[in-house]
Amino acid sequence: MSRPAFPATLLALLGLAQAAPAPTIDTSQMLRMTPPRTQLTLEYIRQHYDAKATSIQITPLMIVIHWTATGSLKSTLNTFKPEVLSGRTDIQKGGKLNTGAHYVVDRDGTIYQLMNETDMARHVIGLNRFAIGIENVGNNDLTPAQLKANTQLVNYLYEKYGVQYLIGHHEYGQFRGTPLWEEKDPSYFTVKSDPGAAFMAQLRATLQSGGVTFRALPK
Ligand SMILES: [Zn+2]
């Protein structure tokens, strides 16, 4: 006899939700926090957030979901490997540190960790010192396997850090003017479309059905 299945929302309401199993995470592609990468990260923090900063550590209060827009897993990993930014005229005034992400989710749902969650990655203007970044290989065609992997990974990080906000990169501007927004240059801002309202709605609904909810975004 198997146990009867109850809706996850009911279990969550009753406080009976099981801790979600930790997702399988491939750490074979971790970037090395070399002295130059650490120094460039610190320079970014000093330029944008706090001229007196001495640490690259962040406080994860938020998860930001992205898509890569182009390419394959391999090209994504190659994009994040260098320490110095190149080929991004849109954000080059923001400093030399390359863009990055803590996690990359491949088309088949494989989760790769690239960075320690509490080391700052350059992935979301204004909010990098509070935000863990998850990149998805693809664009407006993210797969069911990626949705499942994002659900597991967000659930895991939510439980690990008590993360308060889950946002799509396209929603980040809603935090301008809030205490979490640290960018000193009001003209340093880019309009984003990733990963789009449809994917975020699916992800939020899936998480909510497992009892994982986040604070509402600022208006
Ligand atoms: Zn993005």
Side-chain angles (χ1 to χ4, degrees), residues 47-48 85 88-95 122 185 187-189:
Q47 177 184 347
H48 293 277
L85 183 75
R88 287 292 303 269
T89 52
D90 56 333
I91 55 168
Q92 71 187 11
K93 77 163 184 173
R122 180 181 182 179
D185 177 358
S187 75
Y188 186 54
F189 188 85

Side-chain angles (χ1 to χ4, degrees), residues 122-187:
R122 180 181 182 179
H123 65 99
V124 56
I125 288 170
L127 302 166
N128 283 313
R129 288 208 295 181
F130 299 111
I132 294 174
I134 302 175
E135 283 280 358
N136 288 276
V137 177
N139 45 52
N140 60 358
D141 62 348
L142 300 185
T143 67
Q146 285 175 305
L147 177 64
K148 186 177 174 193
N150 278 257
T151 304
Q152 291 177 339
L153 184 53
V154 169
N155 200 341
Y156 164 72
L157 296 170
Y158 169 86
E159 288 179 0
K160 187 170 179 181
Y161 294 106
V163 170
Q164 297 175 3
Y165 294 100
L166 170 68
I167 70 169
H169 197 185
H170 65 284
E171 297 169 316
Y172 85 112
Q174 290 178 237
F175 284 85
R176 277 196 286 189
T178 72
L180 293 184
W181 188 265
E182 293 196 289
E183 178 56 51
K184 291 194 273 194
D185 177 358
S187 75

Side-chain angles (χ1 to χ4, degrees), residues 66-67 135 169 192 194:
H66 304 261
W67 69 37
E135 283 280 358
H169 197 185
K192 307 300 292 190
D194 66 312

